[in-house]
Amino acid sequence: MVSTPTRPSRRKPAVRQHSSGTSTAQRSSPAAPAAADAVPRPEGKGALGAFARMWRFLEGSDRQTSGSSYYMILGATLALTAIGLMMVLSASSVESIANAASTVEPTDEGAIVFDFFFKQSVYAVLGVALMLGLSRLGPRVFKFLAWPGLGVAIVLLVLVLLIGENINGNQNWIRIGNQSLQPSEPAKLALALWCATVLERKRGLIRDWKHALVPVAPLGGIILLLVMLGGDLGTAIILGMIMGAALFFAGAPIKMFTIAGLVGIAGAFGAILLNSTRSTRIEAWLRLNCDSASDPCFQSNQGLFALASGGWWGVGIGQSRQKWNWIPEAHNDFIFAIIGEEFGLIGTLVVIALFGILAVATLRVARRYTDPFVRILMGSILVWLIGQAFVNIGMVTGVLPVIGVPLPFISYGGSALTFTLAAVGVLLAFARRMPPAAQGTALSANPVSAKTK
């Protein structure tokens, strides 16, 4: 009477089988959850399944994100910088010789050919050193630099209007001896730092459009106005993208972006109508004035010819024909066309893929943080770099009008290269200190396993 009911109860966990063929003891063992996690989840079919796979790739596993994102950002940046130096050497050699031919004093021919390359290399070394230095800093230092950085940016932009040098209709440079500084480039980084610092303090108030706009819109608008007074609409658009990205990642109301977009479009149309050069470029983009004597479509047409002649594999490094004074600013705004001609479609896709790697790695790091300052700052820098690359490539391929925006890391320009690399240093600083998945936004479905890694 005592043993009869107890013996079957002891045996049942060991012998009772379920329809799935798994015993009760096996299902209750500690190894069972791990075995269940090892079974791949159904991906689904169609667009939803593809989106789910892409999202998991962007998230990455805890081990992948913590170990590889830093080196993905660093590797993509150094690769793009190296490509830029190589292409500046190739695209600028002809113009260097042409400039030297117009001088009276004889100069060394080798120094002539490498003139732009040597200058760009110096700025690349300076930028990499600044990048590595900023990568050792933390959020407290960046917040401390926000207000002084904004003040210095405003002062430099005012000096541009007072004593700046006008080149091709834009007054954007300050001449210092034999070197020139373009203050709008450090202004991009200063604006991103300042917006992140101010919006991080707003926190829960950001849903109110008044708190979202003040003081970001007034003080940020001063930066945009000063750049616009210098005649640089392209840089003003990039600065506007930085401000919009900061507000978006801070959580500002979506309807506010709709209103701001309409106002921005109206302002852009006004700026175009009030400036004959801009209106001519828009007409050239729409192919309305290509038959005029001045041929405003010449630059964009030559860029398309360069891309077309490159084919799949290109004509070979240094063998571009369009750089022989056919494409104005071949080593600057239209350097992507020279890449397409010398390295073909494959070369252009490699450049685009490197920008994609930089974007994916930055998103992986930003998703780990719960600190709004880090997320806002990383999002602003990401939109700055990738957005500017998109505008430049769209400009060269004819998708967008020519507005004079350089390709980050690759186009010639010391100020642009130095402060673009400095912005990457900020990204690396956060990638180095990235919290585990359980402390930030969890990327793993099992937070317990994330803590033990």
Short mmCIF file of all heavy atoms in Angstrom, two decimals, residues 8 10 18 34 59 76 78 97 114 136 186 194 202 224 258 260 326 337 340 343 361 373 389 411 413 419:
data_model
loop_
_atom_site.label_atom_id
_atom_site.label_comp_id
_atom_site.label_asym_id
_atom_site.label_seq_id
_atom_site.Cartn_x
_atom_site.Cartn_y
_atom_site.Cartn_z
N PRO A 8 5.81 3.44 -9.43
CA PRO A 8 5.51 3.96 -10.77
C PRO A 8 5.86 5.45 -10.91
O PRO A 8 6.26 5.89 -11.95
CB PRO A 8 4.02 3.72 -10.91
CG PRO A 8 3.73 2.61 -9.95
CD PRO A 8 4.65 2.84 -8.80
N ARG A 10 8.31 6.99 -9.63
CA ARG A 10 9.74 7.17 -9.85
C ARG A 10 10.14 6.80 -11.26
O ARG A 10 11.07 7.33 -11.81
CB ARG A 10 10.54 6.31 -8.86
CG ARG A 10 10.39 6.76 -7.42
CD ARG A 10 11.11 5.81 -6.50
NE ARG A 10 10.92 6.19 -5.10
CZ ARG A 10 11.32 5.45 -4.09
NH1 ARG A 10 11.94 4.29 -4.31
NH2 ARG A 10 11.13 5.87 -2.85
N HIS A 18 6.79 11.50 -24.91
CA HIS A 18 5.82 12.41 -25.49
C HIS A 18 5.75 12.16 -26.99
O HIS A 18 6.57 11.44 -27.57
CB HIS A 18 6.21 13.86 -25.20
CG HIS A 18 6.17 14.17 -23.73
ND1 HIS A 18 5.05 14.68 -23.12
CD2 HIS A 18 7.12 14.02 -22.76
CE1 HIS A 18 5.30 14.84 -21.82
NE2 HIS A 18 6.55 14.45 -21.61
N ALA A 34 19.63 25.36 -24.21
CA ALA A 34 20.71 25.58 -25.16
C ALA A 34 20.46 24.82 -26.44
O ALA A 34 20.72 25.31 -27.54
CB ALA A 34 22.05 25.16 -24.54
N GLU A 59 22.12 43.81 -36.35
CA GLU A 59 22.30 43.70 -34.90
C GLU A 59 23.60 43.01 -34.56
O GLU A 59 24.38 43.48 -33.73
CB GLU A 59 21.13 42.91 -34.30
CG GLU A 59 19.82 43.67 -34.25
CD GLU A 59 18.73 42.85 -33.59
OE1 GLU A 59 18.75 41.61 -33.74
OE2 GLU A 59 17.88 43.42 -32.93
N ALA A 76 37.37 50.36 -42.57
CA ALA A 76 36.70 51.04 -43.68
C ALA A 76 37.23 52.46 -43.84
O ALA A 76 37.44 52.94 -44.97
CB ALA A 76 35.19 51.05 -43.45
N LEU A 78 40.27 53.70 -42.94
CA LEU A 78 41.63 53.70 -43.48
C LEU A 78 41.65 53.28 -44.95
O LEU A 78 42.44 53.82 -45.74
CB LEU A 78 42.52 52.77 -42.65
CG LEU A 78 42.76 53.20 -41.19
CD1 LEU A 78 43.63 52.19 -40.47
CD2 LEU A 78 43.39 54.59 -41.13
N ILE A 97 50.62 69.78 -63.36
CA ILE A 97 51.54 70.14 -64.44
C ILE A 97 51.04 71.38 -65.17
O ILE A 97 51.83 72.27 -65.53
CB ILE A 97 51.69 68.95 -65.42
CG1 ILE A 97 52.34 67.76 -64.69
CG2 ILE A 97 52.50 69.35 -66.62
CD1 ILE A 97 52.39 66.51 -65.52
N PHE A 114 53.49 65.66 -57.88
CA PHE A 114 53.05 65.16 -56.58
C PHE A 114 52.60 66.27 -55.64
O PHE A 114 52.45 66.02 -54.45
CB PHE A 114 54.18 64.36 -55.92
CG PHE A 114 54.58 63.13 -56.68
CD1 PHE A 114 55.78 63.09 -57.37
CD2 PHE A 114 53.75 62.03 -56.72
CE1 PHE A 114 56.16 61.96 -58.07
CE2 PHE A 114 54.12 60.88 -57.41
CZ PHE A 114 55.32 60.86 -58.09
N ARG A 136 40.44 58.01 -27.75
CA ARG A 136 40.79 57.70 -26.36
C ARG A 136 39.96 58.49 -25.36
O ARG A 136 40.08 58.28 -24.16
CB ARG A 136 42.28 58.01 -26.11
CG ARG A 136 43.23 57.45 -27.14
CD ARG A 136 43.20 55.94 -27.22
NE ARG A 136 43.62 55.32 -25.97
CZ ARG A 136 43.76 54.01 -25.79
NH1 ARG A 136 43.48 53.18 -26.78
NH2 ARG A 136 44.14 53.52 -24.63
N PRO A 186 35.13 72.06 -39.80
CA PRO A 186 35.04 71.85 -38.35
C PRO A 186 33.68 72.23 -37.79
O PRO A 186 33.28 71.72 -36.74
CB PRO A 186 36.15 72.75 -37.79
CG PRO A 186 36.46 73.73 -38.85
CD PRO A 186 36.20 73.01 -40.14
N TRP A 194 27.43 69.75 -30.34
CA TRP A 194 26.57 70.66 -29.59
C TRP A 194 25.12 70.20 -29.58
O TRP A 194 24.46 70.24 -28.53
CB TRP A 194 26.68 72.06 -30.18
CG TRP A 194 25.81 73.05 -29.51
CD1 TRP A 194 26.05 73.68 -28.31
CD2 TRP A 194 24.54 73.52 -29.96
NE1 TRP A 194 25.00 74.52 -28.01
CE2 TRP A 194 24.07 74.45 -29.00
CE3 TRP A 194 23.77 73.27 -31.09
CZ2 TRP A 194 22.85 75.09 -29.14
CZ3 TRP A 194 22.56 73.91 -31.23
CH2 TRP A 194 22.11 74.81 -30.26
N LYS A 202 17.50 67.62 -22.72
CA LYS A 202 16.04 67.75 -22.85
C LYS A 202 15.33 66.47 -22.42
O LYS A 202 14.28 66.52 -21.77
CB LYS A 202 15.69 68.08 -24.30
CG LYS A 202 16.22 69.41 -24.79
CD LYS A 202 15.38 70.56 -24.29
CE LYS A 202 15.82 71.87 -24.91
NZ LYS A 202 14.95 72.99 -24.52
N LEU A 224 24.05 77.75 -40.23
CA LEU A 224 23.56 77.62 -41.60
C LEU A 224 23.54 78.97 -42.32
O LEU A 224 23.92 79.06 -43.50
CB LEU A 224 22.16 77.01 -41.61
CG LEU A 224 22.08 75.49 -41.74
CD1 LEU A 224 22.62 74.81 -40.48
CD2 LEU A 224 20.65 75.03 -41.99
N THR A 258 8.09 66.96 -41.15
CA THR A 258 7.32 67.28 -42.35
C THR A 258 7.26 68.78 -42.58
O THR A 258 7.49 69.28 -43.70
CB THR A 258 5.90 66.71 -42.23
OG1 THR A 258 5.97 65.30 -41.98
CG2 THR A 258 5.10 66.96 -43.50
N ALA A 260 9.31 71.02 -41.28
CA ALA A 260 10.67 71.50 -41.53
C ALA A 260 11.10 71.19 -42.96
O ALA A 260 11.80 71.98 -43.60
CB ALA A 260 11.64 70.88 -40.54
N TRP A 326 39.37 67.60 -69.07
CA TRP A 326 38.01 67.45 -69.56
C TRP A 326 37.00 67.61 -68.43
O TRP A 326 35.92 68.17 -68.62
CB TRP A 326 37.83 66.08 -70.24
CG TRP A 326 38.46 65.97 -71.58
CD1 TRP A 326 39.64 65.35 -71.90
CD2 TRP A 326 37.98 66.53 -72.80
NE1 TRP A 326 39.92 65.48 -73.22
CE2 TRP A 326 38.90 66.20 -73.81
CE3 TRP A 326 36.87 67.29 -73.15
CZ2 TRP A 326 38.74 66.60 -75.14
CZ3 TRP A 326 36.70 67.68 -74.47
CH2 TRP A 326 37.63 67.33 -75.45
N ALA A 337 34.00 60.02 -60.50
CA ALA A 337 33.98 59.71 -61.92
C ALA A 337 35.32 59.14 -62.37
O ALA A 337 35.36 58.21 -63.21
CB ALA A 337 33.64 60.96 -62.73
N GLY A 340 35.45 55.56 -61.31
CA GLY A 340 34.69 54.72 -62.22
C GLY A 340 35.39 54.50 -63.54
O GLY A 340 35.26 53.41 -64.13
N PHE A 343 38.81 52.25 -62.51
CA PHE A 343 38.56 50.96 -61.87
C PHE A 343 37.22 50.34 -62.25
O PHE A 343 36.89 49.26 -61.77
CB PHE A 343 38.65 51.11 -60.35
CG PHE A 343 40.02 51.43 -59.85
CD1 PHE A 343 40.39 52.74 -59.61
CD2 PHE A 343 40.96 50.43 -59.66
CE1 PHE A 343 41.66 53.05 -59.16
CE2 PHE A 343 42.24 50.73 -59.21
CZ PHE A 343 42.58 52.04 -58.97
N ALA A 361 28.55 49.16 -39.09
CA ALA A 361 29.29 49.09 -37.83
C ALA A 361 28.87 50.20 -36.87
O ALA A 361 28.74 49.98 -35.66
CB ALA A 361 30.79 49.17 -38.10
N PHE A 373 22.93 60.78 -25.39
CA PHE A 373 23.99 61.60 -25.96
C PHE A 373 24.78 60.81 -26.99
O PHE A 373 25.07 61.31 -28.10
CB PHE A 373 24.92 62.09 -24.84
CG PHE A 373 26.16 62.76 -25.35
CD1 PHE A 373 26.11 64.08 -25.80
CD2 PHE A 373 27.37 62.08 -25.38
CE1 PHE A 373 27.26 64.70 -26.28
CE2 PHE A 373 28.51 62.71 -25.85
CZ PHE A 373 28.46 64.02 -26.31
N ALA A 389 28.27 61.41 -48.76
CA ALA A 389 28.71 60.49 -49.81
C ALA A 389 27.59 60.25 -50.82
O ALA A 389 27.82 60.21 -52.04
CB ALA A 389 29.16 59.17 -49.19
N SER A 411 37.86 62.87 -51.77
CA SER A 411 38.10 64.11 -52.51
C SER A 411 39.25 64.91 -51.90
O SER A 411 39.51 64.83 -50.69
CB SER A 411 36.83 64.97 -52.52
OG SER A 411 35.81 64.36 -53.28
N GLY A 413 41.14 67.92 -50.32
CA GLY A 413 40.75 68.98 -49.39
C GLY A 413 41.25 68.67 -48.00
O GLY A 413 40.82 67.68 -47.38
N PHE A 419 38.88 66.82 -40.57
CA PHE A 419 37.76 66.80 -39.63
C PHE A 419 36.79 65.65 -39.89
O PHE A 419 36.04 65.27 -39.00
CB PHE A 419 37.05 68.14 -39.66
CG PHE A 419 37.87 69.24 -39.01
CD1 PHE A 419 38.63 70.10 -39.79
CD2 PHE A 419 37.91 69.36 -37.64
CE1 PHE A 419 39.40 71.09 -39.20
CE2 PHE A 419 38.68 70.35 -37.04
CZ PHE A 419 39.42 71.21 -37.82
#
